[in-house]
Amino acid sequence: YQGYQDGKLYAVNPDGTTKWVKTIGSDMSGGGSSITRDGSKLYIPEQSSPGRVFCVNTSDGSIIWSYTLPAPIHLSSTPEPSQQMGGGINGTPAISYDENTIYFGSGNWLECNPCSEDIYDDRLFALDVSGSSPILKWEFKSTLEDPQQNESRVSFWAAPSIADDGTIYAGNFNGYLY
């Protein structure tokens, strides 16, 4: 299962033939998909702003649900007319062992021209996916900055990892591991 910039999600059979192709979003190239153990569902992020996560039926490509990232309340700058609020998702979602929660980060910045700096959306999310629609469990906004390397570029672009004890580890563009 692979998403592309054209918004399409491609499913390929083991023999290399196309299983199905579905348009599900606007830019599906940000991260890979995560698949449940039984192979019936996959979670795939959308890179566009504001980002979305889709739960897709692997048998036919139908969308079971989608979740749009909430607007980042920590951004105090007013966007210019060409800007959109909210970050896209560039990392593959991690699925908890019990498959009731997925974890992912936001990471697109909003291009600002002319502006003194870009506006960043830098949050780590946990979604409860145990029911028929997802519920936001929590979001975490990074606070550490690496002034020598990335200044305020603190996006969670990498896929989080889950330890055996349930601890979530997430690398950040600011050079820190959370």
Side-chain angles (χ1 to χ4, degrees):
Y1 303 96
Q2 180 64 50
Y4 288 91
Q5 285 181 323
D6 62 3
K8 292 181 181 170
L9 178 62
Y10 292 81
V12 179
N13 292 310
D15 66 2
T17 59
T18 301
K19 181 176 180 180
W20 48 257
V21 178
K22 297 282 183 167
T23 300
I24 64 168
S26 60
D27 185 348
M28 307 308 297
S29 66
S33 59
S34 297
I35 302 172
T36 56
R37 278 190 296 278
D38 68 3
S40 65
K41 294 185 238 175
L42 67 87
Y43 302 103
I44 187 163
E46 180 178 45
Q47 182 173 315
S48 301
S49 294
R52 292 184 286 176
V53 174
F54 294 89
C55 179
V56 177
N57 183 321
T58 58
S59 65
D60 62 5
S62 61
I63 297 171
I64 299 169
W65 53 255
S66 69
Y67 177 82
T68 303
L69 296 183
I73 59 173
H74 65 278
L75 295 181
S76 58
S77 300
T78 303
E80 293 182 2
S82 63
Q83 291 180 314
Q84 301 175 61
M85 292 303 284
I89 305 164
N90 282 299
T92 303
I95 304 174
S96 65
Y97 180 78
D98 64 7
E99 296 188 346
N100 288 330
T101 306
I102 61 171
Y103 304 92
F104 57 91
S106 61
N108 282 3
W109 60 80
L110 307 175
E111 296 299 331
C112 192
N113 188 11
C115 283
S116 60
E117 60 185 43
D118 291 335
I119 302 171
Y120 297 95
D121 180 20
D122 54 336
R123 296 174 289 166
L124 185 64
F125 295 88
L127 277 188
D128 180 337
V129 295
S130 61
S132 58
S133 4
I135 298 169
L136 179 65
K137 289 175 85 170
W138 52 260
E139 67 179 77
F140 169 75
K141 191 229 177 273
S142 66
T143 55
L144 300 173
E145 294 183 1
D146 180 357
Q148 293 184 356
Q149 182 179 354
N150 300 312
E151 297 177 3
S152 60
R153 293 178 107 172
V154 288
S155 298
F156 285 103
W157 280 4
S161 296
I162 306 170
D164 288 342
D165 67 359
T167 302
I168 309 305
Y169 294 93
N172 192 286
F173 202 72
N174 64 4
Y176 290 96
L177 177 67
Y178 292 85

